[in-house]
Amino acid sequence: MELDKPIMKTNMLFLIFGLWVMVVAMADKGITVNTSSSRRPKVVNIGALLTVNSVIGRSVKPAIIAAVDDINSNPSILGETHLNLILHDTNCSGFIGTIEALELMEKEVVAAIGPQSSTIAHVISHVVNELQVPLISFGATDPTLAALQYPYFLRMTQSDYYQMSAIADLVEYFEYKEVIAIFVDDDYGRNGISSLGDSLAKNRAKISYKAAFTPGASETDISELLTEINLMESRVYVVHVNPDSGLQIFSIAKKLNMMTSDYVWITTDWLMAVLDSQEPPNPDAMGLVQGVLSLRQHTPNSNYKKTFITKWKNIKEKETNSFNSYALYAYDSVFFLAHAIDTFLKSNQEITFSSDPKLKNNNGSHLQLSALQTFDQGQKLLETLLSTNYTGLTGEIRFDSDKNLVHPAYDVLNMGGTGIRTIGYWSNYSGLSVNSPETLYKKPANSSTSAQRLYSVIWPGETSVKPRGWVFPNNGKPLRIVVPYRHSYKEVVTKDVRSPEGVRGYSIDVFDAAVNLLPYPVPRKYILYGDGVRNPSYSNLVAAVAENIYDAAVGDVTIITNRTRIVDFTQPYMESGLVIVVPVKKSKTSPWAFLQPFTIEMWLVTGGFFLLVGFVVWILEHRLNHEFRGPPSQQIITIFWFSFSTMFFSHRENTVSTLGRLVLLLWLFVVLIINSSYTASLTSILTVQQLTSGIEGLDGMLASNEPIGVQDGSFAYNYLIQELNVAESRIRSLKDSEDYLNALRLGPKLGGVAAIVDELPYIELFMSYTKCEFRIVGQEFTKSGWGFAFQRDSPLALDLSTAILQLSENGELQRIHDKWLASSSCSSKVTEIDVSSLSLSSFWGLFLICGVACFISLSIYFCRVLCQYRRFNPDEEEPHELPEPESARRSERRTFRSTSFKDLIDFYDKKEAEIKEMLRRNRRQVNGHNDSPL
């Protein structure tokens, strides 16, 4: 028995060892064994799908393996459960990727990390949808993968929808309007560029040409493609290709001399996936991309990220010295999945698989579809993933309602020299900024245009001057410029057989002068539009430019709303607006026209004040001024003469009293204003009011039913009908100035027109022809101008607008105007003014002031006279034996004088000097009596 114990112990050891070997072997085959009563499995299978031999794959593979090792070595994440990684190489092939995905699904994986290709993700998503296995991609950026069609697809990287929004904001920031998209023609390239087109359209920019090439295109194919786009106008290129073949494009572009200062190159994040994998950057690669702008998925700097960088240096299986941002997203994908699995298992969920009845082998197929099983708890794990919130190397990992990561952001980078410069950041929170997104999230969102900012850029050709972004195509075709072949007003623009350009006129000289100011040549060819017999339709001419029949229209093209919807106009080089021209005639003047300046009330009040002032001055001057004395008849004549002579400031009588001078001064001021007003009113009546017409302005024209003339081919025809609701039967199209003249002279009763509506520059020329026989009435009722029309988003429109402003500032525009267009000396304003008679209401204030002055002066004067009269004694010269008491004498004088008005008048009629002398004698006499002894 004692010998049997060692044997039994030995057998037990062998049995335990055998069970352990069995468990390990089963684990290697993906078989989950539950050796305890707990439902938590010891091993959970996860898959990984990637192209190992690729730029992204060489960074991602070590990151995924490192993540699994870190999780399995950290019991705090999954506890006793370990992750079993099953990695398959898709070899960047949709077909092989599908086969590898099917083989992976046979191994009962609960989730798959990958794929890195958007094309393969589209195919595999259908497989995982059927088997209910979550697919977590670290590299498939196609925006369409976020559709509801792929419920089990989760993107652990940023969607190209946001990347294309960032590029559109870059294009807008540098003020470009057209780009050429260079992309690989697969799901990744097509859908990304489609999103770019949508983003550019929001900023009023567009993709002028889509240059697509097939995956794996040869160098010859790419060279032909770049040669083709080099002949086009736009010089802003957006490159959206795969990292493994992208540098080949720049290598060929450099050979074609397309990396000079005239070009703008912007790439998506594929370029940084290549350069970030190289440490230090490859000099040859950097030499190909000098001056290029690129994006990189933004990942915040954190201690966690620094630890990973240190760990990366110690990974032995890696094939690159460094890693790109996709490695960080792949590492986070594994950790994110591990935390979700832990949450899933803690909720007492089992991991079971069941056969799908739709995957049975039928019709003798040799495909082992029956080996594929559905993950029974796939929907529950998917819900757990969507609700998991985790902070990893790439920052916060959380999904929004569209299953996109929150806070999408990109680094904006500039390649220069041997290094890479960060010139700013982009986020959908605040747009372009030189501050990192993490700092902006703490502030209110501000994506306004004024808040957008980047550091300076070194462009291709090692220049800091921003490229223009476009050139004239290098295909030998000059700019096709259509010119209206006018029949009338040929000073503006017309045919010229003697000129090598074939055209001449004011508009042509302005256009040539503006083009000469541009910093680049503009080859052009003028093409006449019309037959010269009648003016062409300018609306049809502009439509031909919009339809790409012509590149631009140069002439007297009026800028109106309907035209701005289909073409782009330059800054107006001539101000314009519609005006009304009418015939005029002189009216017969009345022989009593001199009475019309004032109303009857005004004449009466004015005449009354003349007499009043004359009488007041006579009263104030009568006792002092001998010129206002004499017989009564003479004094009456003096009053009338003095009153009305002040009208002409020709009164010969001098005023000596202070009060009289005050009244006269105020009255002469009133007379001055009355004379000036009368003269101005009479002048208006005898001159301006002589011009009369039946239509006095726009309202009068609209109210009448008389015919109206417009210039043939002008927009005024449609404007009157559509905007002013003028009956079409009233409008007459006139070919030239001779038709204008005849129609206005005949008038509506003889088959002519009552008025002509045309633009002011034409009317000024017409008025100079007719020597002011007609007049403009009313005001301009449209405000527009003449401009040069270009196709939508043509960069020439902006450059020529700047040139026109320079011509205006340096006086050249006015010189050209004076050369071709003689300004009319006739009044271009309203020529018939309603002149009404001046009424009393306009002058009653003056009369009031004058009346008050007269009243105050008379009051002061009579108070003074009464005071003198009270002290005056008419019997003071007779001797008296005994003087009476003073109080008795005063009482006697008051009683006597109050009863004798004749004495008061006699007292007033005496001269002031006599009265003063009497008063002095009276005072001496009174004083003498007071001093005599009793």
Side-chain angles (χ1 to χ4, degrees):
M1 294 296 294
E2 293 178 359
L3 293 175
D4 291 339
K5 290 181 179 180
I7 295 173
M8 291 177 64
K9 291 180 179 179
T10 302
N11 291 337
M12 288 295 294
L13 291 174
F14 277 109
L15 179 61
I16 293 172
F17 179 75
L19 291 173
W20 179 79
V21 171
M22 184 183 300
V23 170
V24 173
M26 292 174 67
D28 289 337
K29 294 181 179 181
I31 301 175
T32 303
V33 179
N34 190 358
T35 59
S36 65
S37 59
S38 174
R39 294 181 179 179
R40 191 178 186 97
K42 294 295 184 181
V43 177
V44 174
N45 293 334
I46 63 171
L49 295 166
L50 64 149
T51 301
V52 175
N53 188 23
S54 66
V55 171
I56 296 178
R58 284 189 285 271
S59 290
V60 165
K61 179 183 176 181
I64 292 177
I65 295 174
V68 172
D69 291 342
D70 291 344
I71 291 169
N72 289 335
S73 62
N74 188 352
S76 64
I77 300 177
L78 281 174
E80 297 178 356
T81 303
H82 283 207
L83 294 181
N84 179 40
L85 177 65
I86 304 173
L87 192 147
H88 282 249
D89 187 0
T90 60
N91 201 24
C92 202
S93 168
F95 175 74
I96 295 177
T98 304
I99 299 301
E100 293 294 333
L102 291 174
E103 291 182 359
L104 182 63
M105 295 301 116
E106 292 178 356
K107 299 175 182 178
E108 297 184 347
V109 294
V110 298
I113 305 296
Q116 71 189 52
S117 168
S118 297
T119 302
I120 299 175
H122 275 282
V123 179
I124 297 177
S125 292
H126 294 287
V127 176
V128 298
N129 287 350
E130 184 66 27
L131 301 179
Q132 299 182 14
V133 176
L135 183 64
I136 306 172
S137 177
F138 54 83
T141 57
D142 181 358
T144 63
L145 287 169
L148 298 176
Q149 181 183 4
Y150 309 110
Y152 282 87
F153 176 85
L154 295 179
R155 196 194 325 263
M156 285 292 295
T157 187
Q158 302 296 348
S159 169
D160 278 340
Y161 168 82
Y162 299 109
Q163 182 167 210
M164 297 308 170
S165 296
I167 291 180
D169 285 352
L170 276 175
V171 172
E172 181 185 31
Y173 178 81
F174 293 113
E175 300 177 337
Y176 298 125
K177 291 299 181 183
E178 292 186 4
V179 303
I180 292 178
I182 304 173
F183 62 98
V184 59
D185 194 9
D186 58 11
D187 291 332
Y188 160 74
R190 284 191 303 271
N191 295 330
I193 294 302
S194 176
S195 181
L196 174 62
D198 295 340
S199 298
L200 288 172
K202 295 177 182 178
N203 298 338
R204 291 202 63 188
K206 68 177 182 179
I207 300 175
S208 60
Y209 184 74
K210 295 182 178 181
F213 60 90
T214 59
S218 64
E219 182 176 343
T220 302
D221 294 338
I222 297 176
S223 179
E224 291 177 355
L225 182 68
L226 294 182
T227 301
E228 180 183 358
I229 64 175
N230 196 33
L231 297 176
M232 298 179 182
E233 181 179 281
S234 178
R235 284 291 185 266
V236 182
Y237 303 133
V238 176
V239 185
H240 184 53
V241 296
N242 295 318
D244 298 279
S245 58
L247 288 179
Q248 186 180 18
I249 293 175
F250 287 102
S251 176
I252 298 172
K254 191 169 185 178
K255 294 178 182 177
L256 296 176
N257 201 30
M258 296 175 65
M259 298 299 296
T260 59
S261 57
D262 293 332
Y263 296 82
V264 177
W265 292 87
I266 303 174
T267 76
T268 51
D269 61 352
W270 67 264
L271 179 59
M272 294 313 303
V274 176
L275 299 180
D276 286 342
S277 300
Q278 304 168 352
E279 186 182 344
N282 188 333
D284 295 335
M286 290 299 299
L288 298 175
V289 293
Q290 292 295 300
V292 174
L293 293 176
S294 184
L295 298 180
R296 178 204 288 145
Q297 298 177 85
H298 176 74
T299 56
N301 292 323
S302 61
N303 293 330
Y304 192 14
K305 184 177 177 180
K306 294 176 182 178
T307 302
F308 178 80
I309 294 173
T310 303
K311 184 182 298 183
W312 181 270
K313 298 178 181 179
N314 298 325
I315 297 177
K316 297 180 180 180
E317 293 85 1
K318 66 178 186 292
E319 299 181 29
T320 58
N321 294 330
S322 186
F323 58 89
N324 50 46
S325 60
Y326 289 98
L328 301 178
Y329 282 103
Y331 187 89
D332 279 351
S333 298
V334 179
F335 265 83
F336 181 77
L337 175 60
H339 283 279
I341 291 174
D342 184 58
T343 303
F344 173 80
L345 294 177
K346 287 180 178 178
S347 62
N348 296 323
Q349 294 290 333
E350 295 182 352
I351 297 178
T352 60
F353 295 86
S354 60
S355 299
D356 190 341
K358 293 182 290 185
L359 298 177
K360 292 182 180 179
N361 290 329
N362 295 321
N363 301 324
S365 174
H366 294 285
L367 296 176
Q368 300 297 320
L369 296 179
S370 59
L372 299 176
Q373 292 184 318
T374 301
F375 180 25
D376 297 332
Q377 290 78 31
Q379 179 63 33
K380 182 63 178 178
L381 180 58
L382 177 64
E383 295 174 358
T384 305
L385 286 166
L386 292 174
S387 61
T388 299
N389 190 350
Y390 170 71
T391 300
L393 296 174
T394 58
E396 182 183 8
I397 300 175
R398 179 166 52 88
F399 295 104
D400 60 18
S401 58
D402 295 326
K403 296 193 301 183
N404 289 319
L405 292 179
V406 297
H407 299 321
Y410 289 86
D411 301 335
V412 184
L413 307 164
N414 182 210
M415 315 302 144
T418 58
I420 302 170
R421 296 172 53 242
T422 300
I423 61 172
Y425 305 90
W426 180 92
S427 68
N428 71 328
Y429 185 75
S430 295
L432 297 171
S433 175
V434 294
N435 299 317
S436 63
E438 291 77 27
T439 60
L440 297 177
Y441 294 147
K442 302 175 183 178
K443 303 176 182 178
N446 184 8
S447 57
S448 61
T449 304
S450 59
Q452 307 300 290
R453 187 187 168 204
L454 294 173
Y455 291 120
S456 60
V457 177
I458 302 299
W459 299 97
E462 298 182 359
T463 177
S464 59
V465 179
K466 186 188 74 172
R468 192 168 61 248
W470 68 278
V471 294
F472 282 98
N474 297 328
N475 50 18
K477 294 182 180 180
L479 206 64
R480 301 164 299 174
I481 299 179
V482 61
V483 176
Y485 189 4
R486 294 190 57 86
H487 173 71
S488 61
Y489 303 114
K490 295 182 179 181
E491 297 93 337
V492 178
V493 61
T494 190
K495 180 180 179 179
D496 186 9
V497 295
R498 294 172 297 178
S499 169
E501 295 177 338
V503 290
R504 65 180 176 85
Y506 167 66
S507 298
I508 301 300
D509 280 7
V510 172
F511 182 76
D512 289 341
V515 168
N516 291 336
L517 292 178
L518 300 180
Y520 49 86
V522 181
R524 53 196 181 276
K525 177 183 178 182
Y526 294 106
I527 305 170
L528 289 170
Y529 187 87
D531 54 12
V533 179
R534 298 185 60 180
N535 293 335
S537 170
Y538 280 65
S539 296
N540 294 340
L541 182 146
V542 172
V545 174
E547 294 168 2
N548 198 26
I549 300 175
Y550 307 103
D551 297 312
V554 171
D556 48 335
V557 184
T558 306
I559 304 172
I560 58 177
T561 304
N562 290 338
R563 295 173 184 173
T564 58
R565 294 191 178 105
I566 58 176
V567 296
D568 283 347
F569 281 95
T570 62
Q571 170 84 11
Y573 64 90
M574 164 69 85
E575 297 298 326
S576 179
L578 292 178
V579 294
I580 302 172
V581 177
V582 296
V584 295
K585 61 181 179 180
K586 292 187 177 180
S587 61
K588 295 180 180 180
T589 58
S590 170
W592 302 101
F594 68 92
L595 296 176
Q596 295 180 13
F598 290 157
T599 61
I600 295 176
E601 294 81 2
M602 183 65 183
W603 280 117
L604 293 175
V605 172
T606 302
F609 260 84
F610 271 109
L611 295 176
L612 173 64
V613 171
F615 183 70
V616 170
V617 172
W618 177 84
I619 292 175
L620 298 175
E621 295 288 326
H622 177 71
R623 300 178 64 192
L624 296 175
N625 194 338
H626 69 276
E627 294 182 353
F628 288 87
R629 300 183 65 83
S633 59
Q634 181 181 349
Q635 295 185 46
I636 293 174
I637 293 173
T638 300
I639 291 173
F640 277 92
W641 166 254
F642 179 82
S643 298
F644 291 101
S645 64
T646 57
M647 179 185 300
F648 312 102
F649 304 98
S650 60
H651 52 284
R652 62 189 181 185
E653 293 81 8
N654 294 320
T655 55
V656 295
S657 67
T658 303
L659 293 176
R661 289 176 177 177
L662 174 64
V663 171
L664 183 61
L665 179 64
L666 290 175
W667 174 243
L668 291 178
F669 176 72
V670 174
V671 170
L672 174 65
I673 295 177
I674 291 175
N675 281 343
S676 301
S677 301
Y678 177 85
T679 304
S681 180
L682 183 61
T683 302
S684 300
I685 291 173
L686 296 178
T687 56
V688 177
Q689 203 172 17
Q690 290 177 2
L691 304 176
T692 61
S693 65
I695 296 176
E696 300 179 359
L698 178 61
D699 293 337
M701 184 188 72
L702 297 178
S704 70
N705 293 319
E706 296 178 335
I708 304 168
V710 297
Q711 185 181 171
D712 195 17
S714 171
F715 79 96
Y717 188 93
N718 291 330
Y719 182 84
L720 291 176
I721 296 173
Q722 298 173 3
E723 302 295 333
L724 301 182
N725 298 320
V726 177
E728 189 173 358
S729 58
R730 293 181 56 194
I731 304 177
R732 307 284 189 269
S733 292
L734 306 175
K735 292 173 59 176
D736 51 26
S737 57
E738 185 176 350
D739 284 357
Y740 279 24
L741 187 64
N742 294 333
L744 288 173
R745 284 177 175 175
L746 288 174
K749 295 181 180 180
L750 298 177
V753 297
I756 288 177
V757 176
D758 205 350
E759 295 183 73
L760 183 58
Y762 302 126
I763 295 303
E764 288 183 340
L765 285 173
F766 172 69
M767 301 284 274
S768 64
Y769 298 159
T770 60
K771 298 181 180 180
C772 305
E773 183 178 346
F774 308 99
R775 288 292 183 270
I776 299 172
V777 294
Q779 302 291 331
E780 295 180 55
F781 52 92
T782 63
K783 288 293 184 180
S784 57
W786 293 349
F788 305 129
F790 290 86
Q791 294 179 14
R792 295 286 288 177
D793 300 321
S794 172
L796 257 180
L798 178 61
D799 287 358
L800 278 177
S801 293
T802 304
I804 290 172
L805 289 176
Q806 292 178 358
L807 291 176
S808 177
E809 292 171 356
N810 61 25
E812 182 67 12
L813 194 61
Q814 185 63 41
R815 189 194 65 79
I816 299 173
H817 179 277
D818 295 341
K819 172 186 175 182
W820 289 99
L821 307 178
S823 299
S824 172
S825 59
C826 308
S827 174
S828 60
K829 303 298 181 183
V830 180
T831 54
E832 182 171 348
I833 302 174
D834 184 16
V835 181
S836 59
S837 299
L838 298 175
S839 65
L840 182 61
S841 60
S842 302
F843 300 93
W844 69 267
L846 288 172
F847 289 131
L848 177 63
I849 294 174
C850 186
V852 170
C854 291
F855 175 77
I856 294 175
S857 298
L858 289 175
S859 299
I860 296 173
Y861 178 78
F862 281 119
C863 288
R864 183 167 165 268
V865 169
L866 289 175
C867 288
Q868 288 179 345
Y869 184 67
R870 290 180 62 190
R871 290 183 289 125
F872 173 69
N873 183 5
D875 301 326
E876 61 186 358
E877 296 180 354
E878 298 179 1
H880 298 279
E881 295 180 0
L882 294 173
E884 297 181 5
E886 182 68 19
S887 59
R889 288 199 304 272
R890 289 179 182 177
S891 174
E892 183 181 349
R893 283 200 299 267
R894 283 196 297 270
T895 304
F896 178 77
R897 290 166 189 168
S898 62
T899 58
S900 179
F901 182 74
K902 181 178 179 300
D903 291 341
L904 178 62
I905 296 300
D906 292 340
F907 175 79
Y908 171 75
D909 191 51
K910 294 180 182 294
K911 291 184 178 181
E912 182 73 14
E914 295 178 4
I915 297 298
K916 290 182 178 180
E917 182 61 28
M918 291 179 183
L919 292 176
R920 280 197 298 271
R921 288 198 299 267
N922 189 26
R923 283 197 300 270
R924 286 197 299 268
Q925 186 178 5
V926 172
N927 292 334
H929 285 296
N930 291 334
D931 295 338
S932 61
L934 295 176

